[in-house]
């Protein structure tokens, strides 16, 4: 049974990062890039795993089942994950990173509005609240982005992964007493946003999903509103492996 630790591991006996553990629980080939999880969400999970302290990392284990089967081709997923990351980082990161996070929020909202057929200046309440905390960075971001159009394809390919990476590193290096809870909350919020888009009827949080459906999480996704549909292969959590993981990490099964 692997134990959560930093970095990539050759096999379970050497330990596991968050996504390697997910591949193990899903019964996939051992990998930190399993097919059972959306690539950007998996990238966020790997970054959070590696930037969380050794003492706090076991608490991430309870979120692992909730990413299994959580995938699809809907481009709104990338925008939502990037927005979660930028909003979490904006209030606490260093000034130069605040500018980048503010720009990422405006760009992500623009792309999401375009994909959903809404006015491009129609910001979500969460983004408005985040931007209101850093008015100087927000004014600069609006000036910087004036006349600049970010395509959904370009945002998905370049801006979203860069935003996630800058956000996690910025939080880990921020001048706060303990960045670990901020990193864990970021990952949990991103998982919740993906659940809300792919399974709107579920109405559950990442932790509830991890605890109550650990043995039966099955991946399915809909591209409603985007003109596409995705039907990923079913992904389930092996209940015996999850029970063993719970015993080792102290997580409630």
């Amino acid at each position: 049974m692997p134990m959560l630790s930093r970095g990539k591991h050759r096999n379970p006996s050497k330990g596991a990062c968050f996504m390697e553990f997910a591949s193990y629980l899903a019964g996939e080939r051992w990998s930190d890039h399993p097919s059972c999880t959306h690539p950007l969400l998996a990238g966020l999970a790997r970054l959070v795993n590696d930037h969380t302290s050794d003492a706090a990392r076991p608490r991430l284990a309870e979120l692992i089942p909730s990413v299994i089967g959580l995938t699809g081709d809907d481009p709104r997923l990338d925008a939502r994950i990037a927005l979660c990351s930028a909003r979490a980082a904006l209030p606490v990161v260093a000034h130069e990173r605040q500018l980048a996070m503010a720009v990422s929020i405006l760009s992500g909202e623009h792309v999401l509005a375009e994909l959903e057929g809404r006015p491009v200046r129609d910001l979500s309440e969460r983004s408005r609240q985040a931007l209101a905390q850093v008015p100087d960075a927000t004014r600069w971001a609006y000036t910087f982005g004036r006349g600049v159009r970010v395509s959904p394809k370009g945002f998905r390919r370049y801006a979203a992964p860069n935003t996630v990476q800058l956000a996690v590193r910025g939080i880990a290096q921020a001048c706060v007493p303990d960045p670990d809870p901020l990193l864990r909350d970021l990952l949990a919020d991103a998982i919740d946003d993906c659940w809300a888009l792919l399974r709107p009827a579920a109405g559950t949080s990442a932790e509830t999903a991890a605890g109550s459906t650990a043995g039966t999480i099955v991946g399915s996704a809909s591209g409603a509103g985007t003109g596409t549909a995705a039907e990923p292969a079913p992904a389930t959590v092996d209940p015996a492996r999850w029970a063993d993981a719970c015993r080792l990490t102290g997580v409630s099964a």
Side-chain angles (χ1 to χ4, degrees):
M1 172 62 59
M3 296 295 290
L4 279 181
S5 57
R6 183 178 284 107
K8 190 175 182 178
H9 306 80
R10 184 174 298 177
N11 55 59
S13 67
K14 305 294 185 181
C17 75
F18 188 100
M19 289 312 305
E20 287 169 336
F21 213 131
S23 75
Y24 174 83
L25 291 178
E28 289 196 28
R29 179 180 63 85
W30 180 260
S31 171
D32 62 349
H33 287 68
S35 63
C36 61
T37 304
H38 185 275
L40 188 58
L41 182 61
L44 172 61
R46 288 190 297 271
L47 284 164
V48 168
N49 176 86
D50 289 353
H51 286 82
T52 296
S53 69
D54 293 342
R57 192 174 296 109
R59 284 211 63 213
L60 299 177
E62 60 195 3
L63 299 178
I64 296 174
S66 61
V67 306
I68 297 174
L70 200 54
T71 188
D73 293 329
D74 193 327
R76 293 176 294 173
L77 284 168
D78 300 82
R80 287 194 177 207
I81 295 165
L83 279 169
C84 271
S85 302
R87 286 191 294 245
L90 184 61
V92 299
V93 297
H95 177 68
E96 62 273 13
R97 280 184 170 153
Q98 282 187 336
L99 301 179
M101 293 299 99
V103 170
S104 294
I105 288 175
L106 295 181
S107 299
E109 287 282 2
H110 180 107
V111 166
L112 195 57
E114 183 175 334
L115 290 170
E116 295 178 344
R118 297 185 283 105
V120 295
R121 291 190 174 274
D122 184 15
L123 301 185
S124 68
E125 180 60 28
R126 285 192 294 170
S127 289
R128 284 198 295 268
Q129 290 177 356
L131 291 169
Q133 298 180 64
V134 286
D136 291 341
T138 299
R139 282 193 294 269
W140 184 91
Y142 271 112
T143 301
F144 176 84
R146 192 171 295 148
V148 177
R149 181 186 179 278
V150 180
S151 70
K153 183 178 180 180
F155 186 85
R156 186 180 196 182
R157 185 172 182 180
Y158 301 109
N162 288 337
T163 295
V164 168
Q165 188 172 99
L166 283 173
V168 172
R169 290 180 176 175
I171 293 172
Q173 297 168 6
C175 294
V176 294
D178 184 7
D180 288 333
L182 299 179
L183 292 171
R184 185 186 179 283
D185 288 348
L186 162 55
L187 180 56
D189 287 346
I191 294 170
D192 284 347
D193 266 20
C194 291
W195 270 90
L197 180 61
L198 297 179
R199 302 181 181 84
T204 186
S205 69
E207 292 191 37
T208 302
S212 64
T213 62
T216 57
I217 296 174
V218 177
S220 64
S222 170
T226 66
T228 62
E231 293 294 339
T236 61
V237 176
D238 184 307
R241 290 183 174 185
W242 177 236
D244 287 341
C246 289
R247 283 193 292 271
L248 284 175
T249 60
V251 174
S252 298

